[in-house]
Amino acid sequence: MKDIIELLRSRGYKMTPQRRTVIKALFECGKFPTAQDILEYAKTINPDMGLDTIYRNLNLLTEIGVLNIINIKSRDVSVFEVVTNHHHHLICLDCGQMECLDYCPIAGDSEKMAEEKEFKIVGHSLEFYGYCCKCQAS
Amino acid sequence: MKDIIELLRSRGYKMTPQRRTVIKALFECGKFPTAQDILEYAKTINPDMGLDTIYRNLNLLTEIGVLNIINIKSRDVSVFEVVTNHHHHLICLDCGQMECLDYCPIAGDSEKMAEEKEFKIVGHSLEFYGYCCKCQAS
DNA sequence: CTCACTGCAAAGGCTTTGCAGATTC
DNA sequence: GAATCTGCAAAGCCTTTGCAGTGAG
C-alpha cells in the first residue's frame, strides 16, 4: 500500500484523502471488489465520496500498472484486483464467486506459436469456469 | 449453417427471415463480428432489421450452444464467434484485432488443482494479449 | 389459430465526461 | 499560485425489456 502511494507521488500525482481511501479499500474490501464495493467501504470513511471519483482512481491505478481490471462472463460488472504474483482464476458460473489459482500452464512454446502470426505477446489471461462448492449443491 | 437451422427447428423455434439473416451474417461478416457488424450486414438484406432482434437471436444461438460471446479487455463491446473446434485467441491491445490460435496447454492437471478448491470445472477461456503486426510498427 | 417473433421505444446499468469549485504541492 | 482532483449532474454506450402488432407452423 505504501508502495502504491510512493509510486503515485513519484509520478507527480497528488495524494488526496479520497485517493488514499480508494487504495485502502483495495486492501480491506476483501477479494475482487467492484467499484460499488469500494464506494460502500469508502463511504464509511467519507460519506461524500462519489462513484465517479472511485472510477477515476481505479482507472489511474490500472494505468500505472498496480491494479487489474477483470471482466468476467456471467457478471456484467468489472472487478478489481491488486497486482501481485502471476496467477489465474476460478469463476463460478452460477454465483460469480472467484478464487485464485496459483497455476499457469503457459510456457514459451505458446509465445512461439503466437509469433508465427506476427503478434508480439505481452501477456495473457486464463480463467477457468465452473461451479463452486455451494452452487454444485443446488 | 444448415446444421444450426436444423437444430433450431428441432427445438421448436420458428424460422423467420430475420433469424435466417442473422445466421447467414455470422458466416459472411468476417471473423468476430459485433452485434453492430451483424446489423449492418443484415440491413443490406432487410433494411428494417433492428438491433434488438439481432441481440435476441445472438443470445438464443448462444443459449443453444452454437455461438460464443467473447468479451475482451480494451474493447467495450462483445464479439461473437460460431462454435467450432476448441481454440483460443490472440488479441491486439492497440486495435483490438483478433486471431485464432490452435493451441491449448490446458491439461488434466489443471482441473485437479481446481478441484482441490472444490470447483467443478466445465470450461476455460484463454486469451493472449499483445500487439499485431501493424500496431507494432506505430 | 396459436404462440413465438419482430420493431419500436424506452429503460437499465455500468462507466465516463464536462464543469465549477475545492485541494494539494 | 498553478495544476490536479473532487462532486455533481448529465451523458454515452451497449444491451435488455415491455408491448402491440405480425408472421410462422
Side-chain angles (χ1 to χ4, degrees), chain A residues 74-119:
Chain A
S74 77
R75 270 176 94 183
D76 44 357
V77 290
S78 302
V79 303
F80 296 86
E81 175 184 51
V82 175
V83 171
T84 56
N85 66 315
H86 179 77
H87 65 271
H88 298 294
H89 299 106
L90 294 168
I91 302 167
C92 178
L93 287 168
D94 222 46
C95 68
Q97 189 212 319
M98 295 175 59
E99 295 225 27
C100 297
L101 189 66
D102 282 326
Y103 168 85
C104 182
I106 311 301
D109 58 337
S110 55
E111 314 219 333
K112 269 183 220 146
M113 290 202 55
E115 273 148 24
E116 282 173 23
K117 308 238 177 188
E118 303 185 59
F119 254 78

Side-chain angles (χ1 to χ4, degrees), chain B residues 112-137:
Chain B
K112 268 182 221 147
M113 289 204 55
E115 274 149 22
E116 282 173 24
K117 307 239 179 191
E118 303 185 58
F119 254 78
K120 183 182 179 90
I121 306 293
V122 300
H124 61 264
S125 80
L126 168 62
E127 301 89 37
F128 291 90
Y129 289 92
Y131 297 95
C132 74
C133 188
K134 284 180 193 167
C135 292
Q136 284 175 59

Side-chain angles (χ1 to χ4, degrees), chain A residues 30-43:
Chain A
K31 279 178 171 294
F32 311 120
T34 64
Q36 272 298 340
D37 294 335
I38 291 171
L39 178 64
E40 275 157 39
Y41 175 91
K43 283 201 165 176

Side-chain angles (χ1 to χ4, degrees), chain B residues 13-43:
Chain B
Y13 294 106
K14 296 182 174 173
M15 198 47 53
T16 63
Q18 292 90 336
R19 180 161 292 161
R20 211 181 289 274
T21 303
V22 170
I23 296 168
K24 200 172 170 210
L26 287 169
F27 289 91
E28 308 204 348
C29 271
K31 280 178 171 291
F32 311 119
T34 63
Q36 272 298 339
D37 294 334
I38 291 171
L39 177 65
E40 273 157 40
Y41 175 92
K43 283 200 164 177

Side-chain angles (χ1 to χ4, degrees), chain B residues 41-102:
Chain B
Y41 175 92
K43 283 200 164 177
T44 66
I45 296 175
N46 174 356
D48 291 338
M49 290 269 307
L51 195 51
D52 39 19
T53 301
I54 307 283
Y55 274 111
R56 274 189 280 236
N57 279 292
L58 292 175
N59 288 341
L60 174 61
L61 293 170
T62 303
E63 271 170 38
I64 67 170
V66 300
L67 198 60
N68 277 335
I69 301 182
I70 309 176
N71 297 300
I72 41 184
K73 310 184 198 191
S74 77
R75 270 178 92 185
D76 43 357
V77 291
S78 302
V79 303
F80 297 85
E81 175 184 52
V82 176
V83 171
T84 57
N85 67 315
H86 179 77
H87 65 271
H88 298 293
H89 299 106
L90 293 169
I91 303 167
C92 178
L93 287 169
D94 223 45
C95 68
Q97 190 212 316
M98 294 175 60
E99 295 227 24
C100 297
L101 187 65
D102 282 326

Side-chain angles (χ1 to χ4, degrees), chain A residues 19-68:
Chain A
R19 181 160 291 160
R20 210 182 291 272
T21 302
V22 170
I23 296 170
K24 199 172 170 208
L26 286 169
F27 288 91
E28 307 205 348
C29 271
K31 279 178 171 294
F32 311 120
T34 64
Q36 272 298 340
D37 294 335
I38 291 171
L39 178 64
E40 275 157 39
Y41 175 91
K43 283 201 165 176
T44 65
I45 296 176
N46 174 356
D48 291 338
M49 289 269 308
L51 196 51
D52 40 17
T53 301
I54 307 284
Y55 274 111
R56 273 190 281 235
N57 279 292
L58 292 174
N59 288 342
L60 174 61
L61 292 170
T62 303
E63 272 170 36
I64 66 170
V66 300
L67 199 60
N68 277 335

